[in-house]
Amino acid sequence: MPVDYSGTWDIVSNVNFEGYMVALGIDFATRKIASMLKPQKVIKQDGDCFTVRTFTTFRNYESSFKIGEEVKEVTKGMDNRSCQTVVNWRNDKLVCVQKGEKKNRGWTHWIYGDELHLELTCEDQVCKQIYKRTL
Ligand code: VL7
């Protein structure tokens, strides 16, 4: 059985979110608000088609993608940049490359036991988040 990311996931840890936001050029005031947030991910997976919704009390973000298909992504409500974005499988991991103005930008998701892991990368900064399924 292939891995299924579908579900509702609540953040339980968030390491170096600040460094990631600085690398994206997010201003001080927005970083102070964003650092307090407890994002929830709602993921719908239908084969190789995904919708990932990130909800917070401040802003929400949604991305839809099909594995291997490059799409234009505008990171609206985050740093508001345009990227050429593609997500691929690497074994059971979801590996996203966000090509654009920022070097080395992307994210990787994987599931470890009952945890959803996420690494967000921009330039030399890596933010590591862990989510658990809502009960
Ligand atoms: C990554 C936000 C910080 C601006 C607001 C904070 C609002 C919630 O890329 C993401 O998810 C991927 C992988 O799951 C799928 O789309 C969302 C959120 C990081 C970066 C920028 C701070 C302002 C946070 C939307």
Side-chain angles (χ1 to χ4, degrees):
M1 271 292 277
V3 62
D4 188 5
Y5 285 82
S6 295
T8 301
W9 304 87
D10 288 335
I11 200 160
V12 293
S13 79
N14 193 0
V15 174
N16 196 37
F17 190 46
E18 169 70 10
Y20 176 73
M21 289 193 288
V22 169
L24 286 176
I26 306 300
D27 68 81
F28 180 85
T30 305
R31 293 204 310 275
K32 293 307 124 189
I33 296 167
S35 69
M36 303 294 290
L37 301 172
K38 298 288 175 206
Q40 183 182 66
K41 299 264 182 199
V42 178
I43 302 179
K44 288 193 166 35
Q45 177 180 355
D46 177 12
D48 276 355
C49 293
F50 289 78
T51 303
V52 179
R53 292 184 176 88
T54 307
F55 294 105
T56 74
T57 53
F58 179 50
R59 285 175 194 165
N60 303 319
Y61 188 71
E62 173 172 336
S63 75
S64 295
F65 53 87
K66 185 172 180 192
I67 296 297
E69 289 197 354
E70 188 167 89
V71 293
K72 177 181 162 153
E73 177 180 21
V74 179
T75 57
K76 192 167 151 34
M78 297 197 285
D79 59 319
N80 299 300
R81 285 189 175 85
S82 292
C83 308
Q84 282 301 125
T85 297
V86 63
V87 183
N88 280 292
W89 290 113
R90 194 169 70 216
N91 299 312
D92 284 345
K93 292 189 177 189
L94 282 177
V95 179
C96 174
V97 175
Q98 292 166 311
K99 206 153 65 73
E101 183 186 337
K102 289 290 175 183
K103 299 298 169 209
N104 194 36
R105 181 171 185 173
W107 52 257
T108 300
H109 267 298
W110 66 97
I111 288 176
Y112 180 78
D114 65 345
E115 296 171 347
L116 174 71
H117 288 236
L118 172 61
E119 264 181 18
L120 295 154
T121 303
C122 182
E123 297 177 328
D124 61 344
Q125 296 298 310
V126 180
C127 168
K128 177 68 200 292
Q129 299 182 338
I130 301 175
Y131 294 78
K132 289 201 170 163
R133 283 192 192 277
T134 53
L135 300 177

